[in-house]
Amino acid sequence: MDQRQVQDKAQAFIARWSAATGSELANAQSFVRELCDLLKVEPPHPATDDPTANAYVFERAIAFQNPDGSTSPGRIDLYKRECFVLESKKVKAGPATKGFDDALLRARAQAENYARALPAAEGRPPFVVVVDVGNVIELYAEFTRSGATYTAFPDARSHRIPLTRLVEPEVQTRLRALWLDPMSLDPSRITAQVTREVAAKLATLARELEGAGHTAERVAAFLTRCLFSMFAEDVGLLPKAPSGSGAFVHILRAHRDQPETLRHMLRALWTDMDRGGFSPALAAQVLRFNGKLFKGWAADEYVLPMSKAVVDGLIDAASSDWRNVEPAIIGTLLERALDPVERHRLGAHYTPRAYVERLVLPTVVEPLRAEWANVQAAALLLATEAQALGGRRGDTRMDEARAELRQFHHRLCTVKVLDPACGSGNFLYVTLEHLKRLETEVLDQLQALGDSQAKLGLEGETVTPQQFLGIELNERAASLAELVLWIGFLQWHVRSAGSASVAEPVIQDYGNIECRDAVLAWDRQEPMRDE
């Protein structure tokens, strides 16, 4: 079947089911079977009397464990082992109403309860799917499969797929992966590989520069500036060169055979990035980056002399897609890439994201998400009452609903997280990412309730790296921790709202990562000397 035929089939599916008005009970299974046919995946199997044998069935029986030791029966609308739990509804309220959001929220909670009630031997599936038959499909993911919270996938702004989008090949591919290989959708699998490749390239460059007689500290500072420049050009924070390539890589290529000119051009670029304004190096306006990263441009070692091999290595490293570099591991890998002693262990040992989340989720994220569930339920109840009351009393209830959400958003933007031995910032970044994900859900809910200031998460109070405090004894690791937090924050910001929304200065010097001993403090150090 060619692409045109696939499109026609999708259009026919959309037309047929958009007009469906029957109940969930009447239509849900037929909808799923036809969706399977559209996605070219096998339909559910016949169920058996043995629940453990029912790996892919409608109406999978489960037992809820009650606090008093008794059990209650339940049935999952559609279950595919190691893939998903699917809960279907036919919501009578229109998509633009509060009742619609409330119904899907309850369906999601029900599906998550089913996932948690599955036998431990089967494990929890990576996805929870909520379907409003003939209208939308919502995706929620939890790739660690450890019992943590399912979150909107790929993010809170695009997890809800209207039926009309089923004509898009990328949407069909994403949904097909739910059936065939859901773990392939885990973004950390892609980003981890990219990050290892980048770190290996930077390790080679560090070795070359140290071999030319430069200290490890100067090499680390220089390569960190290079790294951030590669990231900035890939996410659109630096203007394109006239050639259409990224600004940083354009300078490297243009002056590859003129090492001294290249040094002057990089110094000019980074000075312009520090100050902001018109950049002669690029013949264009650049954002004011500020922070600590581009300070000290007058020092001779600010831009190290580079051989052609080093320049070629930088060009090669810049060819990686820095939008997909994973901040959760880049700190550890870069720390080793830039440390002559640790370099032989590059990529061999780092704390995987899943391990980081085993600590971050129960200590920080899950308590906040429990609060959010209560706040969201209260706000939606008030909004439903407002819709029923109408008039001035309804307006008052709606104001109360928005106030509930704004108060929680303020709490989210003021909570502080401390890692007293932060290393290169992995734990802090993962926590930041989860709080940004939660913040997006809050802002979306505010917008759904008609709050014209829901954009405040981009323009005013928002979750920032300032809330994430670290103490680290190793100076190089402390600098990398700060870099990791800012790359992660900017990645999220650009992905959610585009590079045009980034405020100046791009990087703030919050002083949130301190290079010192977490236990002992002193005024000065006095060396002990013999006679």
Side-chain angles (χ1 to χ4, degrees):
M1 188 181 293
D2 62 25
Q3 190 58 41
R4 181 67 259 173
Q5 291 173 307
V6 172
Q7 294 289 88
D8 291 343
K9 188 173 182 179
Q11 290 284 14
F13 177 87
I14 293 165
R16 172 175 163 80
W17 283 103
S18 296
T21 57
S23 69
E24 167 209 335
L25 188 62
N27 284 334
Q29 294 190 8
S30 297
F31 176 84
V32 168
R33 285 194 179 94
E34 291 187 25
L35 178 63
C36 289
D37 181 54
L38 175 65
L39 299 176
K40 300 177 187 174
V41 297
E42 65 172 339
H45 304 156
T48 70
D49 292 333
D50 178 9
T52 60
N54 293 330
Y56 179 32
V57 293
F58 290 119
E59 299 296 316
R60 162 65 191 267
I62 56 165
F64 292 104
Q65 299 295 323
N66 298 322
D68 62 1
S70 63
T71 61
S72 303
R75 287 189 176 274
I76 303 172
D77 287 347
L78 175 62
Y79 172 62
K80 192 169 195 301
R81 186 175 294 160
E82 299 184 347
C83 293
F84 57 79
V85 161
L86 184 148
E87 179 68 14
S88 58
K89 296 292 176 189
K90 181 58 184 174
V91 183
K92 298 300 182 184
T97 65
K98 311 300 178 295
F100 181 79
D101 288 334
D102 189 35
L104 291 191
L105 184 66
R106 283 187 274 109
R108 171 191 175 182
Q110 189 174 355
E112 289 188 17
N113 288 337
Y114 286 144
R116 295 187 180 98
L118 286 164
E122 294 190 39
R124 290 175 182 169
F127 276 91
V128 156
V129 183
V130 176
V131 173
D132 177 29
V133 175
N135 194 2
V136 299
I137 300 170
E138 289 188 341
L139 304 182
Y140 299 90
E142 200 286 282
F143 290 110
T144 68
R145 303 181 65 191
S146 61
T149 303
Y150 286 88
T151 57
F153 177 87
D155 55 61
R157 299 191 188 278
S158 51
H159 74 294
R160 181 177 288 180
I161 304 171
L163 207 65
T164 52
R165 290 195 60 200
L166 288 178
V167 295
E168 300 173 21
E170 60 269 26
V171 170
Q172 293 180 20
T173 300
R174 184 188 307 169
L175 292 176
R176 190 178 298 113
L178 285 184
W179 267 261
L180 303 179
D181 186 12
M183 293 304 292
S184 68
L185 295 171
D186 182 356
S188 66
R189 292 194 170 192
I190 302 168
T191 55
Q193 183 58 40
V194 172
T195 308
R196 283 194 186 91
E197 292 170 0
V198 163
K201 291 172 181 177
L202 290 178
T204 302
L205 290 170
R207 193 179 298 114
E208 288 270 353
L209 290 166
E210 287 162 15
H214 304 295
T215 65
E217 285 67 28
R218 289 178 179 176
V219 169
F222 171 68
L223 288 180
T224 301
R225 281 189 283 274
C226 292
L227 178 156
F228 189 87
S229 301
M230 296 173 192
F231 166 75
E233 69 179 6
D234 277 5
V235 297
L237 295 177
L238 282 175
K240 292 284 186 185
S243 63
S245 64
F248 180 70
V249 77
H250 171 76
I251 290 175
L252 293 175
R253 287 172 178 159
H255 306 287
R256 174 184 176 274
D257 298 322
Q258 304 159 299
E260 271 309 301
T261 302
L262 177 57
R263 286 187 72 193
H264 288 303
M265 292 299 288
L266 287 181
R267 187 188 303 273
L269 170 65
W270 289 337
T271 304
D272 295 337
M273 288 172 69
D274 183 45
R275 295 170 172 173
F278 185 79
S279 170
L282 299 179
Q285 292 287 129
V286 296
L287 296 172
R288 179 164 65 96
F289 284 81
N290 203 354
K292 293 188 296 190
L293 192 57
F294 297 108
K295 298 296 183 191
W297 41 265
D300 185 58
E301 66 275 6
Y302 185 75
V303 180
L304 299 180
M306 293 164 280
S307 65
K308 287 183 180 179
V310 168
V311 178
D312 288 342
L314 286 172
I315 293 171
D316 183 35
S319 67
S320 298
D321 186 354
W322 286 81
R323 292 169 300 179
N324 284 330
V325 168
E326 172 55 70
I329 64 173
I330 192 173
T332 300
L333 294 184
L334 285 180
E335 187 181 353
R336 290 188 177 143
L338 302 176
D339 187 329
V341 177
E342 291 288 314
R343 197 170 291 144
H344 69 285
R345 300 171 64 213
L346 180 65
H349 303 285
Y350 69 90
T351 308
R353 185 189 181 96
Y355 291 3
V356 173
E357 288 180 330
R358 286 181 188 177
L359 177 63
V360 165
L361 292 175
T363 56
V364 181
V365 179
E366 288 173 10
L368 285 170
R369 280 202 166 273
E371 285 184 43
W372 168 233
N374 292 334
V375 168
Q376 191 177 27
L380 286 172
L381 178 61
L382 287 166
T384 303
E385 290 177 0
Q387 201 168 31
L389 289 170
R392 183 176 297 176
R393 291 178 65 196
D395 290 344
T396 301
R397 283 283 196 278
M398 189 60 76
D399 288 341
E400 291 173 5
R402 294 171 188 142
E404 288 273 355
L405 298 177
R406 287 196 207 102
Q407 185 177 356
F408 180 78
H409 182 249
H410 175 70
R411 163 144 171 70
L412 206 58
C413 297
T414 52
V415 69
K416 301 282 188 182
V417 178
L418 168 67
D419 185 345
C422 69
S424 45
N426 293 3
F427 284 81
L428 291 175
Y429 162 70
V430 170
T431 310
L432 166 67
E433 191 213 37
H434 276 280
L435 263 61
K436 291 300 290 185
R437 189 183 294 273
L438 181 52
E439 180 186 35
T440 304
E441 294 178 32
V442 178
L443 295 176
D444 282 352
Q445 190 66 70
L446 267 167
Q447 196 166 22
L449 295 188
D451 192 328
S452 59
Q453 295 189 34
K455 293 190 301 181
L456 64 93
L458 301 178
E459 299 169 354
E461 188 174 48
T462 187
V463 174
T464 72
Q466 187 176 18
Q467 298 167 234
F468 302 87
L469 313 175
I471 302 173
E472 174 54 44
L473 198 56
N474 182 296
E475 186 175 1
R476 186 187 295 112
S479 296
L480 283 172
E482 199 166 354
L483 178 71
V484 162
L485 278 173
W486 277 107
I487 285 182
F489 173 76
L490 291 168
Q491 267 184 340
W492 181 269
H493 201 93
V494 170
R495 198 181 298 133
S496 301
S499 57
S501 68
V502 176
E504 298 180 85
V506 177
I507 302 173
Q508 300 273 10
D509 186 6
Y510 288 133
N512 53 313
I513 307 295
E514 297 185 26
C515 182
R516 64 179 177 87
D517 194 300
V519 179
L520 301 175
W522 54 82
D523 296 322
R524 64 184 184 275
Q525 293 182 357
E526 296 182 3
M528 295 180 64
R529 304 178 184 275
D530 57 20
E531 294 180 358

